[in-house]
């Protein structure tokens, strides 16, 4: 069967694939400690659910405006003003079916065949694949662990070229947990002054931030960038609403309009009921968010402390999101029951199949020596998973 070259060039999402493999082992009755989740283990808060139930009761079950209901777009514009210092009007906001969809709309609406998109590594697995699906070329710009996994302005300048269409920034970062300071973002903004590249700022982990770190939106720091930055965010992480599929983007009207036109011919509106739930989530006090963040922070510290006790497993302390990203390369080449484990992906496979701990290898994040471990899971699963990880690594010869 002949399939499209664009889709032929993309791979399945590694995060979703590992989650499914772990689920399949569990379905066979195997007790797997799954440290994979890219989603809070907390339930969606009751008031948010109640808003959705009320929407159903009221018959709010029809198509809505394709770009999202006006009240939600207005609430998002207000959120950007209040939390991020961005001046956006509701017309400059597009509500989509998850932030993943917002990102896809962006690449599809702005990239031409052969355009380049700069992606600092480590990166979330979906960026390069979405760029390829849009016909463009992902250009990976490495960052250094010793520099906190942050893109340096010199590296950005060196990577910018005549074909660069956009630069992806993701702070707090998945998978490293790195959070850029205002100064670091301002330095990147300065490096972009002499170039007309668009900036895609994925801020979905904005609220999940620890130990005094602060979130900043690059579009607010550099007025010259505001006119060419699309800021993406969503309900999934901060409100424990992954399944509701509501993400959103704001930016220059021309770009948002192009993304909206594409959406009007593809998915139409995000789920009507989920939009009402998102509206409730954005317009109410959030004591549950503070509790969730405090709990993630406790787990983060426990996990860092425990991983540090494992020999030859260096790691940078994450400041945001809910992942740790230790370097596993000291264990590569060691043997499990006589067979050498050739790379981190082989190690992660064996850890899952034999050690019964699910993690995501760093390779699809553009970091082949590392492994991503999520702490968005119950503390007892973290304990069990880390006990097993420790035993598994010690058993290698
Ligand atoms: N960006 C990053 C960095 C993510 O980790 C995720 C997680 N899925 C998303 C975007 C997309 O989130 P969603 O589609 O659930 O809004
Ligand atoms: N973003 C999450 C993760 O990195 C959820 C899964 C996905 O969409 O990739 O695990």
């Amino acid at each position: 069967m002949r399939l499209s070259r664009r889709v032929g060039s993309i791979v399945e999402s590694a995060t979703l694939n590992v989650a499914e493999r772990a689920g399949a082992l569990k379905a066979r009755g195997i007790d797997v400690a799954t440290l994979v989740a890219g989603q809070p283990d907390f339930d969606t808060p009751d008031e948010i659910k109640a808003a959705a139930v009320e929407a159903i009761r009221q018959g709010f079950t029809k198509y809505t405006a394709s770009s999202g209901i006006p009240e939600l777009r207005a609430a998002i514009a207000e959120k950007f003003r209040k939390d991020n210092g961005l001046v956006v009007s509701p017309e400059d906001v597009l509500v989509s079916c998850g932030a993943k969809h917002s990102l896809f709309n962006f690449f599809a609406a702005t990239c031409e065949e052969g355009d380049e998109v700069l992606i600092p590594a480590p990166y979330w697995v979906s960026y390069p694949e979405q760029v390829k699906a849009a016909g463009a070329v992902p250009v990976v710009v490495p960052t250094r662990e010793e520099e906190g996994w942050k893109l340096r302005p010199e590296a950005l300048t060196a990577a910018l070229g005549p074909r660069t269409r956009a630069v992806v920034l993701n702070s707090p970062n998945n998978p490293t947990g790195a959070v850029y300071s205002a100064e670091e973002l301002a330095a990147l903004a300065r490096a972009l002054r002499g170039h007309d590249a668009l900036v895609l700022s994925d801020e979905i982990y904005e609220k999940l931030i620890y130990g005094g770190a602060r979130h900043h939106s690059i579009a607010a720091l550099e007025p010259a960038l505001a006119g060419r930055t699309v800021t993406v965010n969503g309900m999934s992480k901060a409100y424990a609403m992954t399944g509701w599929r509501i993400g959103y983007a704001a930016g220059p009207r021309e770009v948002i309009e192009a993304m909206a036109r594409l959406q009007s011919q593809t998915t139409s509106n995000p789920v009507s009921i989920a939009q009402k739930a998102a509206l409730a989530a954005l317009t109410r006090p959030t004591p549950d968010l503070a509790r969730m963040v405090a709990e993630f922070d406790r787990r983060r510290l426990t996990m860092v402390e425990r991983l540090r006790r494992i020999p030859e497993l260096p790691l940078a302390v994450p400041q945001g999101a809910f992942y740790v990203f230790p370097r596993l390369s000291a264990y590569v080449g060691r043997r499990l029951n006589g067979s050498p484990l050739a790379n981190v992906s082989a190690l992660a496979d064996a850890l899952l199949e034999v050690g019964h701990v699910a993690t995501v290898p760093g390779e699809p994040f553009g970091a082949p020596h590392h492994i991503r471990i999520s702490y968005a899971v119950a503390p007892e699963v973290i304990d069990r998973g880390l006990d097993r990880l420790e035993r598994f690594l010690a058993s290698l010869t």
Side-chain angles (χ1 to χ4, degrees), residues 35-311:
L35 305 178
V36 170
Q39 59 182 339
D41 53 317
F42 294 83
D43 197 3
T44 305
D46 280 340
E47 293 133 280
I48 300 178
K49 288 184 185 172
V53 171
E54 187 53 27
I56 295 176
R57 284 221 179 89
Q58 305 232 334
F60 195 73
T61 53
K62 306 281 197 283
Y63 293 135
T64 72
S66 174
S67 297
I69 53 175
E71 313 88 282
L72 179 56
R73 291 169 82 193
I76 291 167
E78 172 59 15
K79 173 255 173 299
F80 276 129
R81 189 193 63 75
K82 196 167 54 94
D83 294 355
N84 309 102
L86 297 178
V87 185
V88 278
S89 69
E91 295 78 53
D92 303 329
V93 171
L94 172 64
V95 188
S96 298
C97 310
K100 199 180 238 177
H101 185 213
S102 308
L103 296 165
F104 181 80
N105 281 337
F106 171 83
F107 295 125
T110 58
C111 289
E112 209 56 81
E113 199 78 31
D115 279 349
E116 294 179 352
V117 176
L118 303 187
I119 305 177
Y123 46 76
W124 179 44
V125 298
S126 293
Y127 301 137
E129 306 311 307
Q130 292 200 350
V131 168
K132 285 190 271 173
V137 180
V139 174
V140 172
V141 188
T143 67
R144 293 157 62 88
E145 192 168 7
E146 309 82 87
E147 294 173 345
W149 293 119
K150 289 178 196 169
L151 178 65
R152 308 271 313 155
E154 307 80 57
L156 174 57
T157 304
L160 284 166
R163 304 227 60 171
T164 310
R165 181 66 182 129
V167 180
V168 175
L169 296 176
N170 172 218
S171 176
N173 178 271
N174 175 7
T176 65
V179 177
Y180 285 70
S181 68
E183 293 71 31
E184 287 161 341
L185 288 175
L188 294 178
R190 279 195 297 277
L192 285 162
R193 269 185 195 158
H195 201 286
D196 63 357
L198 300 171
V199 176
L200 176 67
S201 183
D202 178 350
E203 304 182 6
I204 189 121
Y205 292 99
E206 165 187 21
K207 303 282 184 196
L208 305 183
I209 204 158
Y210 319 104
R214 285 199 52 201
H215 174 77
H216 301 276
S217 295
I218 191 163
L221 290 176
E222 170 77 30
L225 271 193
R228 53 189 169 105
T229 299
V230 171
T231 305
V232 167
N233 208 320
M235 309 308 295
S236 284
K237 316 291 173 177
Y239 302 93
M241 291 178 71
T242 48
W244 300 75
R245 311 307 301 130
I246 298 286
Y248 51 85
R253 189 156 307 175
E254 247 185 293
V255 177
I256 294 295
E257 266 177 15
M259 291 165 63
R261 226 177 315 129
L262 176 64
Q263 179 163 307
S264 79
Q265 295 290 13
T266 50
T267 59
S268 304
N269 62 277
V271 174
S272 59
I273 300 150
Q275 289 190 65
K276 285 286 192 185
L279 178 61
L282 288 174
T283 51
R284 61 188 267 283
T286 51
D288 25 63
L289 172 62
R291 276 198 298 276
M292 185 169 79
V293 172
E295 175 59 22
F296 283 150
D297 193 16
R298 268 194 294 280
R299 296 179 193 173
R300 171 184 77 112
L301 296 173
T302 309
M303 197 170 246
V304 166
E305 207 238 4
R306 287 215 45 187
L307 288 170
R308 282 199 165 146
R309 280 194 256 136
I310 301 180

